[in-house]
Amino acid sequence: SPVSQDGIGIHPMARAAVSYIAEAMEARADVGRERQAKLATLKRRATDLRPVSDRLAELMPAHLSEMPVTYHVALIHAIICACDMPDLEFAEGLVLGFPAVGDIPPSGWWPSECRNAESDINSMDHAQWHDTLEASIKAEGNNFLKRPGLEACYNKTQEEVAKGLMKGPFSREELELKFGQRGFRAMRRFPVWQDDGQKVRCCDNAKASGHNTATSTFESLKCERPDFPARVAQAFAHEALSRNRPIPLMRAGTDDQADAYRMLPCSQPHMTVVALWNPEAEQVEYFTMGGFNFGLTSAVLQYNRLAEIFSSAAQIIFGVVNAHYFDDFCVCEPYETAKSGQNSLREMVSLLGLPFSKAKAVDVAELVVFLGVETDFINSHRGSVSMRVRPDRVQKLVGRIESIIQEGSLPSGDAASLVGKLQFTLSWPFGKTGRAGMQPLHALAASNESDASLTAGAIAALSFFAALIPELPPHVMNLVAPTRRPTLIWSDGAWEPEQSHPGMVGFLLATPKPEFE
């Protein structure tokens, strides 16, 4: 059984934090009070080092000093050194900015993997690109069907300007005067509808503009999975049993950093320019930003360096069992310590200069949603947790499937999106169900057709999934290895038209006899 291995799948630093809490609970130590004492010390060091960070802020380029975030650079660097973290160059980037294109130096956080740039962005004809870009944006702006998305995207951009995340609008001539005619390269901003059209996210096409193909990276990012809370509960269960103590009742909570990519300073403001259509003025406008675009390959690695520092510092200094997936953070600990753990992480990131969003904060509880998967700890002290995809997310997916069946068509891009959502939904309940039924939808996704009519097979597949996914039971994960040997089932199916009964399904079931257990 996978759970027979102690703490399988838990990062070593998180595993060490689990052991710290288990030892403290066994000794009846007050973990919350210890964390408060450490926070008090950290606050004193923050005060001591503030003059250094203020001096460093004076060295920032103008486009960075105007950003709506003030990092405590000296304190961050002190923590990196004190905790023996690998990313010793990070503080310099907070002052001078991080590169968006070209070589993205390795940070040391993740495994090495070299992906060389395919082109040099400095050798490209930026003026010609902007001619092509503007013509394309104007053509889209004159498309009546595109207007709602373009209006939402422009309004969202104006909100970012109001928050100080971006500047503009500018004309092309104004930016050529600022950066030179061949001194900047813009990306096309486009809307992506989320929550079934309830809100829009602005994305910048760094692939079409050549930014991403002109970027070399040297690391392969590794992120957490939605079952992180369950695996932490498993590690605590093993600790408890090894100490002859009861399995603890678990709690977990989540936090999010708003506008995360925008908050990380970029050293190349001439490479983070975006162009989009102003529906009211009916013209192409340009905007600049001090941070990173959502769409840049570099943004993913550069921001996650900061997230790794936050997560690791909380583990090492305060013994907080936590993890992150990009800007989504999760704290998972026993009932007795979870609240102090989440508060320690929150106060620490505030001291370092980038507090979590209060609007998206979810305090520790017995039910947590992390990365779309709901984990229920109600039976964690009895040795099990359950996981399922959020019911509201399932209902939205069913509604989307039903509307597709009514429309009778599914463009390849929408098919690819639907396949991704179905694969996620089918992976987290019990086992990976319905793989064969996905084949007609995969075919539509690969068709590259903008108006693909639904085949009989696709309609049958969609109807099957609409009926199936609301009925899928939660996945129950045992936190300790089972004492009985498992029942094993093998199954297979065949379709042989030449036979009198062409469709056949066979299975073999093996149940261990009690005397052999």
Side-chain angles (χ1 to χ4, degrees), residues 77 80-81 85-92 107:
H77 186 67
I80 290 172
C81 295
M85 296 181 187
D87 204 350
L88 294 175
E89 306 297 324
F90 189 78
E92 180 181 336
S107 65

Side-chain angles (χ1 to χ4, degrees), residues 394-477:
V394 171
Q395 289 304 315
K396 287 180 180 179
L397 184 55
V398 171
R400 176 62 182 141
I401 291 173
E402 291 174 345
S403 66
I404 290 171
I405 294 174
Q406 291 178 353
E407 293 166 3
S409 65
L410 185 61
S412 60
D414 292 344
S417 174
L418 179 65
V419 164
K421 292 178 179 178
L422 278 171
Q423 286 178 330
F424 178 85
T425 304
L426 295 167
S427 295
W428 288 105
F430 78 37
K432 298 180 178 179
T433 309
R435 286 293 186 90
M438 296 287 288
Q439 293 180 28
L441 305 181
H442 281 297
L444 286 174
S447 66
N448 292 323
E449 295 183 20
S450 59
D451 187 22
S453 297
L454 294 179
T455 62
I459 294 173
L462 291 169
S463 300
F464 167 68
F465 288 123
L468 171 69
I469 56 179
E471 304 300 327
L472 289 173
H475 174 73
V476 178
M477 178 177 175

